[in-house]
Each structure stands twice: as C-alpha cells, then as structure tokens.
Amino acid sequence: MSILDIRVLGDPVLREDTTLVGEITDELRALARDMFDTMHVAKGIGLAAPQVGRSERLAVIDVEDQRFVIINPEVVHGEGKAKAEEGCLSIPDVYGDVERPAKVRVRATNLEGQEFEVEAEGLLARCLQHEIDHLHGKLFIDYLSVLKRRAALAKWAKEKEKYPGFIRTLELDPTRAHEHPDEEL
Ligand code: K1U
Ligand code: ZN
C-alpha cells in the first residue's frame, strides 16, 4: 500500500489526454488501490490517474460510500443543469462554482473487465464529470468566467509556493499511522 504524491496545477501531466486502458493487469489493480488510499488520506471524493502522474484512463470515486473504479469512462447521457462549488485535490484551497449537467449516465469498465453503467445525480454526478474531465486534461477552473478564473489563478499564484516541483506530498494523520505502517512520518 502506498500513499502517492499528487501533482498540482502547473504540472503538464494535468493537461494531457490519457490513454485508453487495454488489458487490466495486477499493476493497474495495485494502482487503483493506491489511488483509493491516497484519495482517502487527502479527504477527497475522487482521484484521476493524471493527478498521480499516470497516463492511464482510470479514476476512483468514493461519494457517500458509493465506490467505483472507472476505466475508460464516457458520459453517454446528460440532462438538466446544476451549479455548485467544486474544489480539486490538484488545486488545493481554490474553489469555484461550476455549472454541469445535473444528471448523467456514465459507461465504464471495472477492474474485472466488465462494462457497467451508472446513473447519477447530485454530488456523484458532479464527481463523475469532474474525474472524467481530468482524464481529458480539463480542470474545473476552465469552466469559470474570465473574472472568476482570474481570481482563482491569483489565489493559486500564492498557494502554489507550497508545492515545489508541482508536487503535493500528503501528510499522514499521526493518530492513524497504524493504518499505513509502511509510510514514513
Ligand atoms: O479530482 C479531484 O480533484 C477530487 C475532488 C473531486 C470533486 C470535488 C468537488 C466536486 C466534485 C468533485 C475532491 O474530492 S476535492 C474535495 C472536496 O471538494 C469535497 C470533499 C467532500 C465532499 C465534497 C467535496
Ligand atoms: Zn480535481
């Protein structure tokens, strides 16, 4: 089990398109496990492969205990509109209101290689769309108005000083260190 470093805004990997996953290997299963652990330590509800420096089209999601590994996901239907605040583990402490389809149907493959569909609304719908965007180099700040984007980037200009090399190393909560005995404190 490993807690992975998270790449932050400025790292080119966050702007690259990902590569379709072919064979589902043990290495990919280990990556998904590490991504779940990393997302939980970061207190996120989703995490996409580019955020940990990888180019596979894969993301993990845990919204209100609904957990998914989505491989090669696609939004096959969207309807309505909903606006809500979003954050991003790759742009810490920057937030903005994003309008997206309120309901979506997403088709993806799971770690067993089976295709499945999930219909979602509310936070799960938002998170699915946020993660699928990551897999195509798109970030929530891209949806903001010019003025709000400018304000978000001004905030990030200060925040990014905390992340040399565009790398965010997560700190383990020392009271929960027994859950990750291999990690250095
Ligand atoms: O991909 C990521 O950067 C993870 C991101 C996903 C996300 C957040 C908000 C709306 C849609 C998708 C996060 O998990 S940031 C953490 C966060 O904002 C949050 C945590 C718990 C509940 C709600 C939001
Ligand atoms: Zn994000």
Side-chain angles (χ1 to χ4, degrees):
M1 183 193 295
S2 306
I3 305 304
L4 309 171
D5 285 344
I6 294 181
R7 309 300 179 91
V8 301
L9 184 62
D11 189 320
V13 74
L14 292 175
R15 289 308 194 172
E16 285 161 15
D17 202 4
T18 49
T19 306
L20 277 170
V21 170
E23 194 189 354
I24 295 167
T25 60
D26 286 347
E27 204 269 327
L28 200 77
R29 290 190 187 93
L31 172 64
R33 266 198 306 277
D34 290 344
M35 286 173 61
F36 268 118
D37 291 336
T38 302
M39 175 186 70
H40 288 139
V41 169
K43 296 186 170 47
I45 55 172
L47 188 67
Q51 294 181 276
V52 293
R54 299 283 295 240
S55 60
E56 294 90 342
R57 194 160 296 167
L58 166 139
V60 298
I61 287 175
D62 185 348
V63 173
E64 292 148 7
D65 285 332
Q66 297 178 84
R67 292 180 177 205
F68 301 93
V69 176
I70 51 171
I71 298 168
N72 302 335
E74 282 175 85
V75 177
V76 292
H77 178 74
E79 65 184 70
K81 279 182 185 176
K83 199 173 198 178
E85 189 172 78
E86 293 190 18
C88 181
L89 297 178
S90 294
I91 321 177
D93 295 311
V94 174
Y95 303 93
D97 286 339
V98 178
E99 186 172 273
R100 297 184 184 271
K103 276 182 158 187
V104 288
R105 189 180 325 127
V106 169
R107 185 177 298 152
T109 299
N110 65 20
L111 280 179
E112 283 71 50
Q114 294 155 338
E115 198 171 89
F116 68 99
E117 286 191 358
V118 53
E119 282 207 347
E121 55 189 330
L123 188 58
L124 179 58
R126 184 165 293 281
C127 189
L128 282 160
Q129 293 174 82
H130 181 113
E131 300 314 325
I132 292 171
D133 274 353
H134 270 301
L135 299 176
H136 299 288
K138 199 164 171 79
L139 301 172
F140 83 88
I141 53 170
D142 303 341
Y143 293 98
L144 303 181
S145 66
V146 172
L147 281 179
K148 290 198 171 149
R149 191 165 197 262
R150 201 175 286 160
L153 291 175
K155 172 100 163 76
W156 178 245
K158 295 180 193 147
E159 292 296 324
K160 75 177 184 193
E161 302 300 325
K162 299 178 190 164
Y163 307 101
F166 304 116
I167 287 179
R168 176 183 180 195
T169 300
L170 295 168
E171 281 171 28
L172 280 177
D173 176 349
T175 61
R176 301 183 68 184
H178 60 281
E179 293 172 22
H180 305 280
D182 298 340
E183 304 299 322
E184 282 188 38
L185 290 176

